[in-house]
Amino acid sequence: MKEAFGKLEQYHLLKKDPLVRQHLPHTTNYSKEQLDCFAQAHPVVFIKHNTSGQGRGVYRLAREEGAFYSLKGYSLQGEKIDQSMTLADVHKTLQPFERFGRTRPYIIQEGINSVTTDGQHVNIRVHVQRMDGQAIVGGMYGSTAHEENGITNMRRGADAMPMQRLLSRYLNVKPDEQQSILKQLSAVSISAANLIAHQYDCRECGVDLGLDKELKPFIFEVNITPGIGGFNKMDKRVWKQIIENRKKMSTSL
């Protein structure tokens, strides 16, 4: 089993590449001071547990009227959170044991408004595999979340779909522009995967990205133990190809 790869450690590693750096939302270690700073600087921010997965310990914080903010997401135990509160109460919710000297390792990240034309949150998973020493895109799909918390994890009810369907039907991207976006997604994901591979012994990874209102890709995070269930739901042919690639990778060890 691979060691836990912290999201903040990952962010600082990815920043080293000039191309990838342009596609990263501002991210830093969570603190009460940074919570105040990010909440003032951005209309939406995401707060994530540094090492959790499957959508646990991920929250979307958005401004409301006055001194109140909307906090939506899932606790580390998987419980749904949907409350309106002040920043002081947000901090108490995230760090309930701080007064005992125990704090949870969260990061705080600039929110990228990656949404469909009707407001559903969008995530793109690019599965990168290393074949004969070269990184290739084994598969790519889009997903949308129906809930307002912006968490597009498949375990939290997100719908997987082919990229052509996401771009055409949900983002209204013209056919002649789609190829350019797909190339950008592939190039950024491969560059990120190469950085990760040089630091960690991983032969494949899943890159999660969004598209801002200008359709510029932004990397949310990279998973070095990626599941492929979404590809099985989206297109079994792509899922089978990823499996075949894995077999070839194992025989080349």
Side-chain angles (χ1 to χ4, degrees), residues 4-10 29 47-53 56-57 76 104-107 221:
F5 187 22
K7 295 177 177 66
L8 188 62
E9 179 186 7
Q10 180 185 114
N29 196 37
I47 303 164
K48 305 177 182 180
H49 190 274
N50 194 40
T51 57
S52 70
R56 297 190 304 270
L76 289 169
R104 292 168 173 170
Y106 286 104
I107 65 165
E221 62 182 271

mmCIF file with all atom_site columns, all heavy atoms in Angstrom, residues 4-10 29 47-53 56-57 76 104-107 221:
data_model
loop_
_atom_site.group_PDB
_atom_site.id
_atom_site.type_symbol
_atom_site.label_atom_id
_atom_site.label_alt_id
_atom_site.label_comp_id
_atom_site.label_asym_id
_atom_site.label_entity_id
_atom_site.label_seq_id
_atom_site.pdbx_PDB_ins_code
_atom_site.Cartn_x
_atom_site.Cartn_y
_atom_site.Cartn_z
_atom_site.occupancy
_atom_site.B_iso_or_equiv
_atom_site.pdbx_formal_charge
_atom_site.auth_seq_id
_atom_site.auth_comp_id
_atom_site.auth_asym_id
_atom_site.auth_atom_id
_atom_site.pdbx_PDB_model_num
ATOM 1   N N   . ALA A 1 4   ? 0.335   7.639  2.590  1.00 0.00 ? 4   ALA A N   1
ATOM 2   C CA  . ALA A 1 4   ? -0.586  8.745  2.386  1.00 0.00 ? 4   ALA A CA  1
ATOM 3   C C   . ALA A 1 4   ? 0.145   9.923  1.752  1.00 0.00 ? 4   ALA A C   1
ATOM 4   O O   . ALA A 1 4   ? 1.241   10.291 2.169  1.00 0.00 ? 4   ALA A O   1
ATOM 5   C CB  . ALA A 1 4   ? -1.203  9.156  3.718  1.00 0.00 ? 4   ALA A CB  1
ATOM 6   N N   . PHE A 1 5   ? -0.469  10.481 0.735  1.00 0.00 ? 5   PHE A N   1
ATOM 7   C CA  . PHE A 1 5   ? 0.116   11.601 -0.004 1.00 0.00 ? 5   PHE A CA  1
ATOM 8   C C   . PHE A 1 5   ? -0.718  12.824 0.308  1.00 0.00 ? 5   PHE A C   1
ATOM 9   O O   . PHE A 1 5   ? -1.808  12.998 -0.217 1.00 0.00 ? 5   PHE A O   1
ATOM 10  C CB  . PHE A 1 5   ? 0.100   11.266 -1.491 1.00 0.00 ? 5   PHE A CB  1
ATOM 11  C CG  . PHE A 1 5   ? 0.820   12.264 -2.358 1.00 0.00 ? 5   PHE A CG  1
ATOM 12  C CD1 . PHE A 1 5   ? 1.788   13.106 -1.853 1.00 0.00 ? 5   PHE A CD1 1
ATOM 13  C CD2 . PHE A 1 5   ? 0.527   12.347 -3.708 1.00 0.00 ? 5   PHE A CD2 1
ATOM 14  C CE1 . PHE A 1 5   ? 2.456   14.010 -2.658 1.00 0.00 ? 5   PHE A CE1 1
ATOM 15  C CE2 . PHE A 1 5   ? 1.187   13.240 -4.536 1.00 0.00 ? 5   PHE A CE2 1
ATOM 16  C CZ  . PHE A 1 5   ? 2.157   14.076 -3.995 1.00 0.00 ? 5   PHE A CZ  1
ATOM 17  N N   . GLY A 1 6   ? -0.235  13.680 1.193  1.00 0.00 ? 6   GLY A N   1
ATOM 18  C CA  . GLY A 1 6   ? -1.001  14.824 1.632  1.00 0.00 ? 6   GLY A CA  1
ATOM 19  C C   . GLY A 1 6   ? -1.303  15.791 0.509  1.00 0.00 ? 6   GLY A C   1
ATOM 20  O O   . GLY A 1 6   ? -0.472  16.018 -0.379 1.00 0.00 ? 6   GLY A O   1
ATOM 21  N N   . LYS A 1 7   ? -2.495  16.390 0.558  1.00 0.00 ? 7   LYS A N   1
ATOM 22  C CA  . LYS A 1 7   ? -2.919  17.312 -0.497 1.00 0.00 ? 7   LYS A CA  1
ATOM 23  C C   . LYS A 1 7   ? -2.048  18.567 -0.550 1.00 0.00 ? 7   LYS A C   1
ATOM 24  O O   . LYS A 1 7   ? -1.784  19.105 -1.626 1.00 0.00 ? 7   LYS A O   1
ATOM 25  C CB  . LYS A 1 7   ? -4.389  17.683 -0.290 1.00 0.00 ? 7   LYS A CB  1
ATOM 26  C CG  . LYS A 1 7   ? -5.356  16.503 -0.440 1.00 0.00 ? 7   LYS A CG  1
ATOM 27  C CD  . LYS A 1 7   ? -6.776  16.926 -0.160 1.00 0.00 ? 7   LYS A CD  1
ATOM 28  C CE  . LYS A 1 7   ? -7.758  15.779 -0.372 1.00 0.00 ? 7   LYS A CE  1
ATOM 29  N NZ  . LYS A 1 7   ? -7.567  14.673 0.600  1.00 0.00 ? 7   LYS A NZ  1
ATOM 30  N N   . LEU A 1 8   ? -1.604  19.046 0.613  1.00 0.00 ? 8   LEU A N   1
ATOM 31  C CA  . LEU A 1 8   ? -0.763  20.239 0.616  1.00 0.00 ? 8   LEU A CA  1
ATOM 32  C C   . LEU A 1 8   ? 0.627   19.918 0.072  1.00 0.00 ? 8   LEU A C   1
ATOM 33  O O   . LEU A 1 8   ? 1.196   20.690 -0.703 1.00 0.00 ? 8   LEU A O   1
ATOM 34  C CB  . LEU A 1 8   ? -0.652  20.813 2.024  1.00 0.00 ? 8   LEU A CB  1
ATOM 35  C CG  . LEU A 1 8   ? 0.039   22.175 2.128  1.00 0.00 ? 8   LEU A CG  1
ATOM 36  C CD1 . LEU A 1 8   ? -0.738  23.233 1.344  1.00 0.00 ? 8   LEU A CD1 1
ATOM 37  C CD2 . LEU A 1 8   ? 0.192   22.598 3.582  1.00 0.00 ? 8   LEU A CD2 1
ATOM 38  N N   . GLU A 1 9   ? 1.163   18.773 0.447  1.00 0.00 ? 9   GLU A N   1
ATOM 39  C CA  . GLU A 1 9   ? 2.451   18.328 -0.094 1.00 0.00 ? 9   GLU A CA  1
ATOM 40  C C   . GLU A 1 9   ? 2.368   18.192 -1.608 1.00 0.00 ? 9   GLU A C   1
ATOM 41  O O   . GLU A 1 9   ? 3.281   18.591 -2.352 1.00 0.00 ? 9   GLU A O   1
ATOM 42  C CB  . GLU A 1 9   ? 2.835   16.990 0.543  1.00 0.00 ? 9   GLU A CB  1
ATOM 43  C CG  . GLU A 1 9   ? 4.136   16.403 0.045  1.00 0.00 ? 9   GLU A CG  1
ATOM 44  C CD  . GLU A 1 9   ? 4.397   15.015 0.593  1.00 0.00 ? 9   GLU A CD  1
ATOM 45  O OE1 . GLU A 1 9   ? 3.495   14.458 1.256  1.00 0.00 ? 9   GLU A OE1 1
ATOM 46  O OE2 . GLU A 1 9   ? 5.496   14.487 0.345  1.00 0.00 ? 9   GLU A OE2 1
ATOM 47  N N   . GLN A 1 10  ? 1.247   17.658 -2.063 1.00 0.00 ? 10  GLN A N   1
ATOM 48  C CA  . GLN A 1 10  ? 1.020   17.499 -3.496 1.00 0.00 ? 10  GLN A CA  1
ATOM 49  C C   . GLN A 1 10  ? 0.987   18.855 -4.206 1.00 0.00 ? 10  GLN A C   1
ATOM 50  O O   . GLN A 1 10  ? 1.593   19.032 -5.271 1.00 0.00 ? 10  GLN A O   1
ATOM 51  C CB  . GLN A 1 10  ? -0.302  16.763 -3.701 1.00 0.00 ? 10  GLN A CB  1
ATOM 52  C CG  . GLN A 1 10  ? -0.694  16.519 -5.130 1.00 0.00 ? 10  GLN A CG  1
ATOM 53  C CD  . GLN A 1 10  ? -2.072  15.905 -5.218 1.00 0.00 ? 10  GLN A CD  1
ATOM 54  O OE1 . GLN A 1 10  ? -2.991  16.530 -5.730 1.00 0.00 ? 10  GLN A OE1 1
ATOM 55  N NE2 . GLN A 1 10  ? -2.240  14.687 -4.723 1.00 0.00 ? 10  GLN A NE2 1
ATOM 56  N N   . ASN A 1 29  ? -2.177  25.704 3.952  1.00 0.00 ? 29  ASN A N   1
ATOM 57  C CA  . ASN A 1 29  ? -2.527  24.992 5.175  1.00 0.00 ? 29  ASN A CA  1
ATOM 58  C C   . ASN A 1 29  ? -3.665  25.726 5.882  1.00 0.00 ? 29  ASN A C   1
ATOM 59  O O   . ASN A 1 29  ? -3.688  26.956 5.938  1.00 0.00 ? 29  ASN A O   1
ATOM 60  C CB  . ASN A 1 29  ? -1.295  24.903 6.083  1.00 0.00 ? 29  ASN A CB  1
ATOM 61  C CG  . ASN A 1 29  ? -1.463  23.880 7.166  1.00 0.00 ? 29  ASN A CG  1
ATOM 62  O OD1 . ASN A 1 29  ? -2.046  22.831 6.958  1.00 0.00 ? 29  ASN A OD1 1
ATOM 63  N ND2 . ASN A 1 29  ? -0.963  24.178 8.349  1.00 0.00 ? 29  ASN A ND2 1
ATOM 64  N N   . ILE A 1 47  ? -12.572 23.484 1.833  1.00 0.00 ? 47  ILE A N   1
ATOM 65  C CA  . ILE A 1 47  ? -11.750 23.051 2.954  1.00 0.00 ? 47  ILE A CA  1
ATOM 66  C C   . ILE A 1 47  ? -11.730 21.531 2.919  1.00 0.00 ? 47  ILE A C   1
ATOM 67  O O   . ILE A 1 47  ? -12.785 20.884 2.890  1.00 0.00 ? 47  ILE A O   1
ATOM 68  C CB  . ILE A 1 47  ? -12.325 23.566 4.287  1.00 0.00 ? 47  ILE A CB  1
ATOM 69  C CG1 . ILE A 1 47  ? -12.444 25.093 4.256  1.00 0.00 ? 47  ILE A CG1 1
ATOM 70  C CG2 . ILE A 1 47  ? -11.443 23.120 5.452  1.00 0.00 ? 47  ILE A CG2 1
ATOM 71  C CD1 . ILE A 1 47  ? -13.339 25.656 5.334  1.00 0.00 ? 47  ILE A CD1 1
ATOM 72  N N   . LYS A 1 48  ? -10.520 20.949 2.890  1.00 0.00 ? 48  LYS A N   1
ATOM 73  C CA  . LYS A 1 48  ? -10.383 19.506 2.717  1.00 0.00 ? 48  LYS A CA  1
ATOM 74  C C   . LYS A 1 48  ? -9.429  18.940 3.760  1.00 0.00 ? 48  LYS A C   1
ATOM 75  O O   . LYS A 1 48  ? -8.391  19.539 4.049  1.00 0.00 ? 48  LYS A O   1
ATOM 76  C CB  . LYS A 1 48  ? -9.824  19.186 1.323  1.00 0.00 ? 48  LYS A CB  1
ATOM 77  C CG  . LYS A 1 48  ? -10.617 19.770 0.163  1.00 0.00 ? 48  LYS A CG  1
ATOM 78  C CD  . LYS A 1 48  ? -9.943  19.463 -1.169 1.00 0.00 ? 48  LYS A CD  1
ATOM 79  C CE  . LYS A 1 48  ? -10.693 20.074 -2.334 1.00 0.00 ? 48  LYS A CE  1
ATOM 80  N NZ  . LYS A 1 48  ? -10.033 19.772 -3.637 1.00 0.00 ? 48  LYS A NZ  1
ATOM 81  N N   . HIS A 1 49  ? -9.794  17.786 4.288  1.00 0.00 ? 49  HIS A N   1
ATOM 82  C CA  . HIS A 1 49  ? -8.851  17.079 5.144  1.00 0.00 ? 49  HIS A CA  1
ATOM 83  C C   . HIS A 1 49  ? -7.644  16.688 4.302  1.00 0.00 ? 49  HIS A C   1
ATOM 84  O O   . HIS A 1 49  ? -7.788  16.255 3.158  1.00 0.00 ? 49  HIS A O   1
ATOM 85  C CB  . HIS A 1 49  ? -9.501  15.833 5.748  1.00 0.00 ? 49  HIS A CB  1
ATOM 86  C CG  . HIS A 1 49  ? -8.685  15.198 6.819  1.00 0.00 ? 49  HIS A CG  1
ATOM 87  N ND1 . HIS A 1 49  ? -7.687  14.284 6.542  1.00 0.00 ? 49  HIS A ND1 1
ATOM 88  C CD2 . HIS A 1 49  ? -8.695  15.365 8.174  1.00 0.00 ? 49  HIS A CD2 1
ATOM 89  C CE1 . HIS A 1 49  ? -7.128  13.897 7.681  1.00 0.00 ? 49  HIS A CE1 1
ATOM 90  N NE2 . HIS A 1 49  ? -7.711  14.540 8.682  1.00 0.00 ? 49  HIS A NE2 1
ATOM 91  N N   . ASN A 1 50  ? -6.467  16.842 4.843  1.00 0.00 ? 50  ASN A N   1
ATOM 92  C CA  . ASN A 1 50  ? -5.243  16.708 4.059  1.00 0.00 ? 50  ASN A CA  1
ATOM 93  C C   . ASN A 1 50  ? -5.029  15.324 3.476  1.00 0.00 ? 50  ASN A C   1
ATOM 94  O O   . ASN A 1 50  ? -4.409  15.189 2.428  1.00 0.00 ? 50  ASN A O   1
ATOM 95  C CB  . ASN A 1 50  ? -4.031  17.098 4.913  1.00 0.00 ? 50  ASN A CB  1
ATOM 96  C CG  . ASN A 1 50  ? -2.781  17.315 4.087  1.00 0.00 ? 50  ASN A CG  1
ATOM 97  O OD1 . ASN A 1 50  ? -2.821  17.885 2.993  1.00 0.00 ? 50  ASN A OD1 1
ATOM 98  N ND2 . ASN A 1 50  ? -1.653  16.841 4.590  1.00 0.00 ? 50  ASN A ND2 1
ATOM 99  N N   . THR A 1 51  ? -5.540  14.272 4.137  1.00 0.00 ? 51  THR A N   1
ATOM 100 C CA  . THR A 1 51  ? -5.262  12.916 3.653  1.00 0.00 ? 51  THR A CA  1
ATOM 101 C C   . THR A 1 51  ? -6.509  12.060 3.437  1.00 0.00 ? 51  THR A C   1
ATOM 102 O O   . THR A 1 51  ? -6.391  10.905 3.038  1.00 0.00 ? 51  THR A O   1
ATOM 103 C CB  . THR A 1 51  ? -4.325  12.167 4.629  1.00 0.00 ? 51  THR A CB  1
ATOM 104 O OG1 . THR A 1 51  ? -4.933  12.136 5.932  1.00 0.00 ? 51  THR A OG1 1
ATOM 105 C CG2 . THR A 1 51  ? -2.970  12.845 4.712  1.00 0.00 ? 51  THR A CG2 1
ATOM 106 N N   . SER A 1 52  ? -7.707  12.604 3.681  1.00 0.00 ? 52  SER A N   1
ATOM 107 C CA  . SER A 1 52  ? -8.908  11.785 3.519  1.00 0.00 ? 52  SER A CA  1
ATOM 108 C C   . SER A 1 52  ? -9.269  11.632 2.046  1.00 0.00 ? 52  SER A C   1
ATOM 109 O O   . SER A 1 52  ? -8.762  12.340 1.185  1.00 0.00 ? 52  SER A O   1
ATOM 110 C CB  . SER A 1 52  ? -10.085 12.415 4.275  1.00 0.00 ? 52  SER A CB  1
ATOM 111 O OG  . SER A 1 52  ? -10.493 13.605 3.629  1.00 0.00 ? 52  SER A OG  1
ATOM 112 N N   . GLY A 1 53  ? -10.164 10.692 1.768  1.00 0.00 ? 53  GLY A N   1
ATOM 113 C CA  . GLY A 1 53  ? -10.616 10.460 0.394  1.00 0.00 ? 53  GLY A CA  1
ATOM 114 C C   . GLY A 1 53  ? -12.104 10.153 0.353  1.00 0.00 ? 53  GLY A C   1
ATOM 115 O O   . GLY A 1 53  ? -12.799 10.212 1.367  1.00 0.00 ? 53  GLY A O   1
ATOM 116 N N   . ARG A 1 56  ? -14.945 12.429 1.969  1.00 0.00 ? 56  ARG A N   1
ATOM 117 C CA  . ARG A 1 56  ? -15.066 12.667 3.408  1.00 0.00 ? 56  ARG A CA  1
ATOM 118 C C   . ARG A 1 56  ? -14.149 13.821 3.828  1.00 0.00 ? 56  ARG A C   1
ATOM 119 O O   . ARG A 1 56  ? -13.054 13.963 3.325  1.00 0.00 ? 56  ARG A O   1
ATOM 120 C CB  . ARG A 1 56  ? -14.705 11.413 4.202  1.00 0.00 ? 56  ARG A CB  1
ATOM 121 C CG  . ARG A 1 56  ? -15.617 10.226 3.956  1.00 0.00 ? 56  ARG A CG  1
ATOM 122 C CD  . ARG A 1 56  ? -15.337 9.117  4.963  1.00 0.00 ? 56  ARG A CD  1
ATOM 123 N NE  . ARG A 1 56  ? -13.936 8.728  4.938  1.00 0.00 ? 56  ARG A NE  1
ATOM 124 C CZ  . ARG A 1 56  ? -13.415 7.789  4.170  1.00 0.00 ? 56  ARG A CZ  1
ATOM 125 N NH1 . ARG A 1 56  ? -14.206 7.129  3.324  1.00 0.00 ? 56  ARG A NH1 1
ATOM 126 N NH2 . ARG A 1 56  ? -12.135 7.497  4.220  1.00 0.00 ? 56  ARG A NH2 1
ATOM 127 N N   . GLY A 1 57  ? -14.633 14.616 4.792  1.00 0.00 ? 57  GLY A N   1
ATOM 128 C CA  . GLY A 1 57  ? -13.835 15.738 5.273  1.00 0.00 ? 57  GLY A CA  1
ATOM 129 C C   . GLY A 1 57  ? -13.621 16.806 4.223  1.00 0.00 ? 57  GLY A C   1
ATOM 130 O O   . GLY A 1 57  ? -12.576 17.445 4.197  1.00 0.00 ? 57  GLY A O   1
ATOM 131 N N   . LEU A 1 76  ? -15.696 13.827 8.415  1.00 0.00 ? 76  LEU A N   1
ATOM 132 C CA  . LEU A 1 76  ? -14.771 12.706 8.270  1.00 0.00 ? 76  LEU A CA  1
ATOM 133 C C   . LEU A 1 76  ? -15.480 11.368 8.468  1.00 0.00 ? 76  LEU A C   1
ATOM 134 O O   . LEU A 1 76  ? -15.009 10.330 7.979  1.00 0.00 ? 76  LEU A O   1
ATOM 135 C CB  . LEU A 1 76  ? -13.622 12.838 9.276  1.00 0.00 ? 76  LEU A CB  1
ATOM 136 C CG  . LEU A 1 76  ? -12.626 13.956 8.986  1.00 0.00 ? 76  LEU A CG  1
ATOM 137 C CD1 . LEU A 1 76  ? -11.694 14.167 10.169 1.00 0.00 ? 76  LEU A CD1 1
ATOM 138 C CD2 . LEU A 1 76  ? -11.824 13.637 7.731  1.00 0.00 ? 76  LEU A CD2 1
ATOM 139 N N   . ARG A 1 104 ? -7.158  19.034 13.549 1.00 0.00 ? 104 ARG A N   1
ATOM 140 C CA  . ARG A 1 104 ? -7.212  18.160 12.372 1.00 0.00 ? 104 ARG A CA  1
ATOM 141 C C   . ARG A 1 104 ? -6.485  18.827 11.214 1.00 0.00 ? 104 ARG A C   1
ATOM 142 O O   . ARG A 1 104 ? -6.586  20.034 11.030 1.00 0.00 ? 104 ARG A O   1
ATOM 143 C CB  . ARG A 1 104 ? -8.670  17.883 11.998 1.00 0.00 ? 104 ARG A CB  1
ATOM 144 C CG  . ARG A 1 104 ? -9.403  17.037 13.021 1.00 0.00 ? 104 ARG A CG  1
ATOM 145 C CD  . ARG A 1 104 ? -10.889 17.017 12.772 1.00 0.00 ? 104 ARG A CD  1
ATOM 146 N NE  . ARG A 1 104 ? -11.564 16.077 13.669 1.00 0.00 ? 104 ARG A NE  1
ATOM 147 C CZ  . ARG A 1 104 ? -12.888 16.004 13.808 1.00 0.00 ? 104 ARG A CZ  1
ATOM 148 N NH1 . ARG A 1 104 ? -13.674 16.844 13.120 1.00 0.00 ? 104 ARG A NH1 1
ATOM 149 N NH2 . ARG A 1 104 ? -13.420 15.121 14.634 1.00 0.00 ? 104 ARG A NH2 1
ATOM 150 N N   . PRO A 1 105 ? -5.747  18.025 10.413 1.00 0.00 ? 105 PRO A N   1
ATOM 151 C CA  . PRO A 1 105 ? -4.958  18.617 9.314  1.00 0.00 ? 105 PRO A CA  1
ATOM 152 C C   . PRO A 1 105 ? -5.799  18.898 8.071  1.00 0.00 ? 105 PRO A C   1
ATOM 153 O O   . PRO A 1 105 ? -6.003  18.025 7.234  1.00 0.00 ? 105 PRO A O   1
ATOM 154 C CB  . PRO A 1 105 ? -3.908  17.528 9.035  1.00 0.00 ? 105 PRO A CB  1
ATOM 155 C CG  . PRO A 1 105 ? -4.623  16.243 9.378  1.00 0.00 ? 105 PRO A CG  1
ATOM 156 C CD  . PRO A 1 105 ? -5.526  16.578 10.538 1.00 0.00 ? 105 PRO A CD  1
ATOM 157 N N   . TYR A 1 106 ? -6.274  20.116 7.954  1.00 0.00 ? 106 TYR A N   1
ATOM 158 C CA  . TYR A 1 106 ? -7.038  20.517 6.783  1.00 0.00 ? 106 TYR A CA  1
ATOM 159 C C   . TYR A 1 106 ? -6.184  21.421 5.893  1.00 0.00 ? 106 TYR A C   1
ATOM 160 O O   . TYR A 1 106 ? -5.194  22.015 6.333  1.00 0.00 ? 106 TYR A O   1
ATOM 161 C CB  . TYR A 1 106 ? -8.297  21.291 7.185  1.00 0.00 ? 106 TYR A CB  1
ATOM 162 C CG  . TYR A 1 106 ? -9.398  20.459 7.777  1.00 0.00 ? 106 TYR A CG  1
ATOM 163 C CD1 . TYR A 1 106 ? -9.634  20.474 9.152  1.00 0.00 ? 106 TYR A CD1 1
ATOM 164 C CD2 . TYR A 1 106 ? -10.204 19.672 6.977  1.00 0.00 ? 106 TYR A CD2 1
ATOM 165 C CE1 . TYR A 1 106 ? -10.654 19.718 9.705  1.00 0.00 ? 106 TYR A CE1 1
ATOM 166 C CE2 . TYR A 1 106 ? -11.228 18.906 7.515  1.00 0.00 ? 106 TYR A CE2 1
ATOM 167 C CZ  . TYR A 1 106 ? -11.451 18.931 8.891  1.00 0.00 ? 106 TYR A CZ  1
ATOM 168 O OH  . TYR A 1 106 ? -12.461 18.179 9.435  1.00 0.00 ? 106 TYR A OH  1
ATOM 169 N N   . ILE A 1 107 ? -6.603  21.511 4.640  1.00 0.00 ? 107 ILE A N   1
ATOM 170 C CA  . ILE A 1 107 ? -6.077  22.535 3.740  1.00 0.00 ? 107 ILE A CA  1
ATOM 171 C C   . ILE A 1 107 ? -7.254  23.420 3.344  1.00 0.00 ? 107 ILE A C   1
ATOM 172 O O   . ILE A 1 107 ? -8.423  23.037 3.512  1.00 0.00 ? 107 ILE A O   1
ATOM 173 C CB  . ILE A 1 107 ? -5.414  21.947 2.481  1.00 0.00 ? 107 ILE A CB  1
ATOM 174 C CG1 . ILE A 1 107 ? -6.464  21.218 1.607  1.00 0.00 ? 107 ILE A CG1 1
ATOM 175 C CG2 . ILE A 1 107 ? -4.258  21.034 2.847  1.00 0.00 ? 107 ILE A CG2 1
ATOM 176 C CD1 . ILE A 1 107 ? -5.985  20.931 0.200  1.00 0.00 ? 107 ILE A CD1 1
ATOM 177 N N   . GLU A 1 221 ? -6.919  17.915 -7.442 1.00 0.00 ? 221 GLU A N   1
ATOM 178 C CA  . GLU A 1 221 ? -5.969  17.045 -6.754 1.00 0.00 ? 221 GLU A CA  1
ATOM 179 C C   . GLU A 1 221 ? -5.626  15.854 -7.638 1.00 0.00 ? 221 GLU A C   1
ATOM 180 O O   . GLU A 1 221 ? -6.268  15.611 -8.667 1.00 0.00 ? 221 GLU A O   1
ATOM 181 C CB  . GLU A 1 221 ? -6.502  16.575 -5.402 1.00 0.00 ? 221 GLU A CB  1
ATOM 182 C CG  . GLU A 1 221 ? -7.756  15.743 -5.461 1.00 0.00 ? 221 GLU A CG  1
ATOM 183 C CD  . GLU A 1 221 ? -8.235  15.360 -4.067 1.00 0.00 ? 221 GLU A CD  1
ATOM 184 O OE1 . GLU A 1 221 ? -7.787  14.305 -3.567 1.00 0.00 ? 221 GLU A OE1 1
ATOM 185 O OE2 . GLU A 1 221 ? -9.030  16.109 -3.476 1.00 0.00 ? 221 GLU A OE2 1
#
